[in-house]
Amino acid sequence: MSTTDTQLSRRDFMVRSMATGSGVALGIGFTTGTISGAHAAIEPAEAFTPSIWFTMMPNGRTTIHVVKAEMGQHIGTALAQIVADELEVDWQDVSIDYPEGSAENFAVYGLAYTVNSGSVTTEFDRLSRSGAAGRIALVEAGAALLGTNVEDAVAASSRVTDSVSGRSISYSEILSQTTIERRFAYPDDFRDIPRKSPEDYNIIGQSMPAHDIPSKTNGSARYGIDVFIPNMAYGALVLPRARYGAKAISVDDTNAQSIPGYIQAVTVDDSFGKCTGWVVAIAETFPAAVNAAKALEVEWDPGPHGDVSLEGLLEEYRALQADPEVGAPWVDQGDVDGSLANADDVLESEYTTDMVVHATMEPLNATVHQVGDTWHVHTGTQSTSFARMTLTAYLAHFLGKPAEEIKVVVHQRVLGGGFGGKQDYDEILAAAYCSHQVARPVKLLQTRETTFATSFPRTPTLHKLRGSIQGGAFTAMQHDIVCGYMGPRFSVGKAYGSDWLQLDADDGSGRDIDQWSIGGSDHWYTLANHRVRAINHDQTTWAVQASALRTVSNSYNYFVVESFLDEVAHRIGKDPLEFRLSMLTGEGTSRGIPNAGYEPGTGSDYYMDRLWISLPWPSEDSWIPYESATVGGAKRLANVLRVAAGKAGYGKRMPKNHGMGIAVSAAEERQSPTWVAGIAEVAVDPESGEIDLQKLTIAMDMGIAINPVNAVAQIKGAALWGASQVLSERLTVKDGAFEQHNFDTYLPIRLSQVPEIDVEIVESGHHPSGVGEPSSTVVAPAVANAVFNAVGVRMRHMPITADAVKAALKAT
């Protein structure tokens, strides 16, 4: 029996997917043919397109359509496993593609956004039901062709088998003999599609090799940096005078004109509030563009933030914190003031953290050109949707056209690292403006130096904490956090005036709080009296362009919370492990969300319910409740803490100047956590202050590990990310500009500093959650706590440098 593959065009695929009206449709249906294959011989068989998430060709080859960005986490493989398991397709027949970012695809797939380790969490339910829907349709068609009852037909390994007679038919034979036309509309019909029980999984939970590894190792994978367009010119950025707000008053290109291949200098239109102070040298080759950029003589207006320094920011932070009238309560439970006033002892501490940048291996880049009335963008981005929206608004702005007349298509490429750093779009906007100015395609490729200079770093922070102790018990916690907010200047917010990152204060005042800057402080410990005051420093928000970095605010807030809890434990004479376990009881609430776990429909104001689970965005009607990852609450956190402590041998006798520290984290956000505990073992040289991080033990409960071997790899990578932040990474600002421009001055940990990492996956069988980020959040506090246990000094600044440890030891 032979079949003919019929390639389905993207336009045909969209039309079929959307053919049922206003809701997104799943094209599943069938008409029976004869088992002899006569139908296939008469006309070519059609591709089976049962849902927007996959297409099966008549030969059985199945392509999973992944709208998440591939940036080293192998997300496409995990999402494909979810579909393939329910579809009962042979894994060898599965491949992956990544739909482009266009208005048409946005209407079909909804928001394409990869962030917060949320891909598996948000996609698991609908992808698995999508695969189940395809399996149902294939089983029905197969049963009809086999002449048996649907109830007696089962699917496995790309075949439908009659369990009574034993006869079977392959998926390819089914599709060669019949056209399946049954429809399942999303989301309404999906609610009734059953999913497998975990014990029936045969692809989910297996350590499948990542689909993208061969292309990345043989060089066929295409990153944004690899793009080539005929007649393309190259752009190189001049280092701006200040991170934000600078203006190029004049540009003298006399010296640049002598460089072969130089075309012109472009001062980018920054009236949109992006690309401020950007001057781009355009040339026929990238080396010529870089040399021209260095040769350009630019007269600058440093702008309103030209004198900003890190020291000045911290002074203003302390002044803001000292004013009780500023800020808004993120958490406000119980009687914190009364408890502090009546305490036998009040523990007070100040913590600070430095800026950190994403420092991806692939520098920022974008290639933009116009074909007819369509602007094409080639880049690797964490959100093709927001990239398209932002560029559309920018083009409408400087071209003076209605946004409805601007058509943008974003062609997704593999990302050479992301970490939150490829969800800002200045290089795309600048490339588009340059392309318009020179009337040809432009590839804007940032050097390492300009990538650092224009980065969107994690905000510096200052924390003031007060803890009340009464009768030997910890009774209240006041936590003030001063930092820059991410939401107000986030690209899509700038473009559309959106406030989707903002949440209301806990006091009912209606004041906005940016949860991406404050999350993690609303911890899972049972504590009746707890207040977190969020204080935005507006100049940090704008002057340094504070933004989301891997684990977002969890990377500094868990460092502070877990270190402070260790301080409390030592003050009241309790073992830090026992102290934590005594508070991880699942009782109480934080911001009205029970510590015993969150369930959909309980009144959460978390944007994920409205944004990530909706399809197409932002229709709230398309949200399907799923079993939340938070089921089990703080007790799951206590469980991983026990596992990690047992694996690490917590409590064992340590040599002199050696210490073991513990920490827990429920990152990412409170309504989509991954439960993780970490134990750090360090040796500290009291003479030099050097910290030798010898071992990390990580225990993680992510519900279901879709691909265990990849989960372990992600956990280890994130742990190293956390180790690098606590031991060495630091970005500073002076005179409005970042001082570090490359890896000679911005210092990630080196290979010699990599510790042994022991990972234990704890599968609870609950809804799966993310593994790419959470383990990094426990490393910094675990190291700080280990240093205290090793040499008796409490380090309250991140990163913890050898000089700081040495100075603290001398002061004792």
Side-chain angles (χ1 to χ4, degrees), residues 555 559 563 663 722-723 725-726 775-785 798 800:
S555 64
F559 166 68
S563 295
Q725 288 186 33
V726 72
S775 65
S776 68
T777 57
V778 296
V779 175
V783 168
N785 294 334
M798 183 164 66
I800 304 173

Side-chain angles (χ1 to χ4, degrees), residues 8 32 46 77 84 119 127 184 199 205 245 266 277 330 337 369 374 444 547 564 577 584 597 612 649 672 709:
L8 190 68
T32 59
E46 295 187 1
T77 301
S119 297
L127 288 181
F184 288 74
E199 59 267 22
V266 175
W330 169 237
D337 294 333
H369 62 118
T374 301
L444 177 59
S547 186
F564 185 70
L577 174 62
L584 291 172
W612 287 4
S672 60
V709 69

Side-chain angles (χ1 to χ4, degrees), residues 170-483:
S170 70
Y171 284 178
S172 62
E173 290 172 323
I174 293 170
L175 296 177
S176 296
Q177 299 173 56
T178 189
T179 300
I180 302 178
E181 296 176 345
R182 186 179 171 192
R183 294 289 186 263
F184 288 74
Y186 185 89
D188 294 336
D189 292 342
F190 266 47
R191 294 186 173 94
D192 298 323
I193 297 174
R195 295 196 328 237
K196 284 184 178 181
S197 297
E199 59 267 22
D200 295 327
Y201 293 150
N202 53 64
I203 296 178
I204 293 173
Q206 299 300 310
S207 294
M208 301 296 190
H211 266 283
D212 55 290
I213 288 178
S215 63
K216 288 179 177 178
T217 53
N218 65 24
S220 63
R222 288 293 174 260
Y223 295 79
I225 203 171
D226 297 324
V227 170
F228 176 81
I229 304 294
N231 194 37
M232 179 175 72
Y234 293 81
L237 179 64
V238 179
L239 282 173
R241 162 63 180 80
R243 171 60 190 92
Y244 181 79
K247 294 285 183 182
I249 298 173
S250 64
V251 179
D252 184 348
D253 69 346
T254 302
N255 294 331
Q257 290 179 19
S258 63
I259 296 173
Y262 171 71
I263 299 173
Q264 71 179 78
V266 175
T267 300
V268 178
D269 185 329
D270 60 4
S271 60
F272 189 66
K274 305 288 288 180
C275 308
T276 64
W278 279 37
V279 176
V280 178
I282 308 295
E284 297 293 348
T285 66
F286 183 62
V290 170
N291 290 332
K294 294 176 181 178
L296 294 175
E297 296 183 6
V298 183
E299 181 184 358
W300 303 98
D301 175 352
H305 310 300
D307 61 350
V308 168
S309 68
L310 182 59
E311 293 76 13
L313 292 177
L314 288 175
E315 286 182 14
E316 294 183 21
Y317 284 13
R318 291 188 173 95
L320 282 173
Q321 188 279 326
D323 185 350
E325 300 301 318
V326 302
W330 169 237
V331 177
D332 194 5
Q333 298 178 164
D335 183 8
V336 174
D337 294 333
S339 183
L340 287 167
N342 296 316
D344 300 329
D345 184 18
V346 175
L347 176 63
E348 298 192 31
S349 296
E350 177 184 286
Y351 284 79
T352 52
T353 66
D354 277 328
M355 289 184 289
V356 177
V357 295
H358 308 88
T360 61
M361 289 298 98
E362 180 191 21
L364 298 173
N365 62 85
T367 304
V368 180
H369 62 118
Q370 186 177 10
V371 178
D373 62 351
T374 301
W375 290 82
H376 293 268
V377 179
H378 304 263
T379 191
T381 172
Q382 290 180 232
S383 177
T384 55
S385 297
F386 286 156
R388 180 183 59 82
M389 294 176 190
T390 306
L391 180 56
T392 299
Y394 179 66
L395 290 170
H397 172 78
F398 85 75
L399 293 176
K401 293 183 177 181
E404 295 76 17
E405 296 181 9
I406 306 293
K407 185 175 182 180
V408 173
V409 176
V410 180
H411 304 274
Q412 179 69 292
R413 296 292 182 262
V414 179
L415 285 67
F419 315 127
K422 291 178 180 174
Q423 55 175 327
D424 293 283
Y425 313 107
D426 287 33
E427 65 281 355
I428 296 175
L429 308 188
Y433 187 79
C434 291
S435 177
H436 180 262
Q437 293 298 106
V438 301
R440 58 191 287 192
V442 168
K443 180 177 185 176
L444 177 59
L445 177 59
Q446 295 223 45
T447 63
R448 185 72 61 194
E449 288 76 14
T450 61
T451 292
F452 268 91
T454 61
S455 63
F456 295 79
R458 184 186 73 187
T459 177
T461 70
L462 178 136
H463 308 251
K464 280 282 191 176
L465 298 105
R466 300 178 73 207
S468 70
I469 299 170
Q470 191 168 22
F474 181 39
T475 58
M477 180 175 176
Q478 168 76 42
H479 185 179
D480 293 349
I481 306 173
V482 190
C483 61

